[in-house]
């Protein structure tokens, strides 16, 4: 394969939580854990805000609030004893979906009062539990980046990757700012269009299809950049983060990203190589999965889709994704392979080659 053919190859990256794992990013089951309570950098004030530093009572109250998700979950369970329609949950993802549902639905027998208001009243909570969950998520998925020294070896695979890829398109389902920081450390420009902006040619484009911890809406509904929650937090939030958490609000947020999705789908359709790293096409992302799969059906013969979800390619979730994609692109002679690598291993490789190019045994 000569240099010209390599340069002409068009690559699309589809990245999820597993992409950030090596740097310290949490997976969904890790959210709201007791360990996270201890590790989170809840208070990292910048500057010399004397009022903030002196108001210890308020600081402690909000600190307790951000650690109160387990109490809120227990409050839901107590309330569910009287309401058969309110089910329990097994993990953080289901809890977020239920919390979102209760925040946006009313109990007509209670004169339109939302179930969230009933929880606040029952537990004497001052702040909105859904806002608490949003802030907690933002801090959990981004605080690890704030406290990690740029000289840390954990950054090496990401910086190498940022330096080595061409003008690729990166479709991210993460809320964190890992990719932006990696490109900054690599002294390389990357375009991160907001939902109302067009991607830019001549540089890599990062499309954050589930929003970002530093995106918000102003009072007029215009997208703005906001604080990434690495510092002090005050409630109620002046600007809520635009992140598509599990639940009904995900659909509302995603519907506000038409330009990003249009470019994302068009990029996948003409891609020569698609790299799926740390994103397992989860059941809770059914709309995104459908759109990506439909776009992959347009990939031409000779195209390549590499799946990187860890070294155990026999896991059910890996086999499911491999078969799902194979079933939909089989008529196009597109090669699909699950590769036995961690994300950090794959990011340090030469991504112009495919396993077939090197006679790899990974191709079945």
């Amino acid at each position: 394969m000569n240099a010209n053919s390599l340069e002409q190859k068009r690559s699309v990256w589809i990245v999820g939580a597993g992409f950030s794992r090596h740097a310290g990013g949490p997976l969904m089951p890790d959210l709201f854990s007791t360990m996270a309570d201890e590790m989170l950098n809840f208070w990292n004030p910048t500057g010399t805000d004397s009022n903030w530093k002196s108001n210890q009572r308020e600081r402690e109250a909000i600190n307790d609030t951000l650690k109160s998700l387990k109490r809120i979950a227990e409050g839901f369970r107590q309330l569910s004893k009287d309401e058969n329609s309110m089910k329990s949950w097994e993990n953080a993802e289901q809890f977020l979906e239920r919390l979102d549902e209760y925040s946006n639905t009313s109990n007509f027998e209670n004169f339109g009062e939302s179930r969230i208001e009933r929880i606040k009243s029952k537990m004497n909570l001052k702040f909105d539990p859904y806002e608490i969950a949003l802030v907690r998520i933002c801090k959990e998925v981004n605080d690890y980046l704030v406290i990690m020294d740029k000289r840390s070896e954990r950054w090496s695979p990401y910086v190498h990757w940022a330096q080595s890829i061409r003008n690729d398109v990166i479709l991210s389902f993460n809320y964190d700012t890992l990719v932006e920081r990696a490109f900054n450390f690599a002294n390389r420009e990357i375009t991160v269009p907001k939902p109302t902006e067009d991607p830019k040619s001549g540089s890599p484009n990062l499309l954050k299809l589930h929003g970002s911890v530093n995106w918000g809406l102003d009072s007029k509904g215009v997208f703005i950049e906001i604080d990434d929650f690495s510092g002090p937090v005050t409630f109620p939030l002046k600007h809520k983060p635009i992140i598509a958490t599990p639940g009904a609000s995900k659909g509302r947020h995603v519907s506000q990203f038409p330009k990003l999705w249009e470019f994302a789908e068009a990029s996948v359709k003409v891609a020569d190589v698609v790299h799926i790293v740390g994103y397992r096409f989860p059941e809770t992302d059914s709309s995104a999965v459908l759109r990506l799969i439909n776009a992959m059906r347009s990939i031409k013969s000779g195209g390549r889709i590499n799946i990187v979800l860890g070294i155990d390619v026999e896991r059910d979730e890996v086999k499911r994704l491999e078969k799902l994609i194979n079933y939909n692109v089989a008529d196009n002679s597109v090669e699909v392979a699950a590769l036995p690598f961690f994300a950090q291993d794959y990011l340090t490789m030469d991504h112009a080659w495919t396993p077939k190019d090197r006679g790899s045994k990974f191709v079945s």
Side-chain angles (χ1 to χ4, degrees), residues 1 52 63 66 103 130 143 157 174 185 225 279 295-296 299-300 305 339 347 349 360:
M1 184 178 295
W52 173 260
N63 192 41
L66 287 168
S103 294
Y130 189 56
D143 265 11
N174 298 334
F185 295 160
E225 288 193 12
Y279 183 65
M296 288 177 186
I299 298 176
K300 294 181 179 179
I305 300 174
L339 307 182
L347 295 181
M349 295 180 176
S360 171

Side-chain angles (χ1 to χ4, degrees), residues 38 121 218 237 311:
E38 303 305 319
S121 175
D218 66 13
L237 297 176
I311 58 174

Side-chain angles (χ1 to χ4, degrees), residues 87-332:
K87 300 177 182 179
S88 186
W89 45 86
E90 296 179 355
N91 53 44
E93 195 165 26
Q94 291 180 13
F95 174 63
L96 283 169
E97 189 170 15
R98 199 69 63 191
L99 189 61
D100 179 83
E101 175 189 338
Y102 298 161
S103 294
N104 294 284
T105 57
S106 298
N107 183 330
F108 294 103
E109 296 179 0
N110 205 34
F111 305 102
E113 182 183 39
S114 71
R115 287 165 171 160
I116 284 291
E117 291 300 321
R118 297 182 65 186
I119 289 293
K120 286 176 64 178
S121 175
K122 189 178 186 72
M123 302 187 65
N124 195 29
L125 288 172
K126 182 179 179 181
F127 308 114
D128 180 354
Y130 189 56
E131 283 198 3
I132 296 170
L134 286 178
V135 173
R136 177 68 187 254
I137 291 169
C138 288
K139 295 189 74 63
E140 286 201 47
V141 303
N142 211 54
D143 265 11
Y144 75 97
L145 296 174
V146 176
I147 63 177
M148 187 166 64
D149 192 304
K150 64 182 294 185
R151 296 166 295 184
S152 169
E153 285 189 85
R154 288 182 177 270
W155 277 113
S156 297
Y158 302 100
V159 174
H160 173 87
W161 170 73
Q163 290 171 332
S164 63
I165 67 173
R166 298 176 300 281
N167 294 334
D168 298 352
V169 177
I170 306 159
L171 313 183
S172 176
F173 290 91
N174 298 334
Y175 314 133
D176 64 34
T177 56
L178 172 63
V179 174
E180 298 95 306
R181 290 170 185 263
F183 272 78
N184 180 48
F185 295 160
N187 295 313
R188 186 153 183 220
E189 179 185 358
I190 184 171
T191 300
V192 189
K194 296 188 182 70
T196 54
E197 297 175 344
D198 291 315
K200 185 172 68 175
S201 60
S203 74
N205 277 273
L206 170 63
L207 309 185
K208 306 191 81 168
L209 299 175
H210 274 178
S212 182
V213 295
N214 59 350
W215 285 0
L217 292 175
D218 66 13
S219 58
K220 297 181 180 179
V222 177
F223 280 92
I224 57 173
E225 288 193 12
I226 62 174
D227 179 78
D228 64 2
F229 296 95
S230 59
V233 179
T234 57
F235 291 92
L237 297 176
K238 184 178 180 181
H239 302 294
K240 288 186 180 180
I242 304 301
I243 57 174
T245 58
S249 65
K250 177 186 285 188
R252 291 195 299 274
H253 286 321
V254 171
S255 68
Q256 296 174 308
F257 303 169
K259 285 190 175 183
L260 300 186
W261 268 105
E262 181 180 344
F263 190 80
E265 290 169 303
S267 299
V268 171
K269 289 178 180 179
V270 299
D272 296 299
V273 184
V274 175
H275 312 271
I276 302 172
V277 184
Y279 183 65
R280 58 184 180 84
F281 285 48
E283 296 83 351
T284 52
D285 282 354
S286 55
S287 177
V289 169
L290 178 62
R291 297 179 77 161
L292 291 173
I293 290 294
N294 281 338
M296 288 177 186
R297 292 192 179 113
S298 297
I299 298 176
K300 294 181 179 179
S301 175
R304 180 82 194 172
I305 300 174
N306 292 337
I307 301 170
V308 181
L309 295 178
I311 58 174
D312 185 0
V313 296
E314 297 300 322
R315 295 199 328 269
D316 288 346
E317 60 185 13
V318 181
K319 301 301 290 185
R320 164 192 165 268
L321 180 54
E322 187 176 22
K323 290 181 181 298
L324 174 66
I325 296 175
N326 255 318
Y327 178 82
N328 284 281
V329 302
D331 293 342
N332 299 2

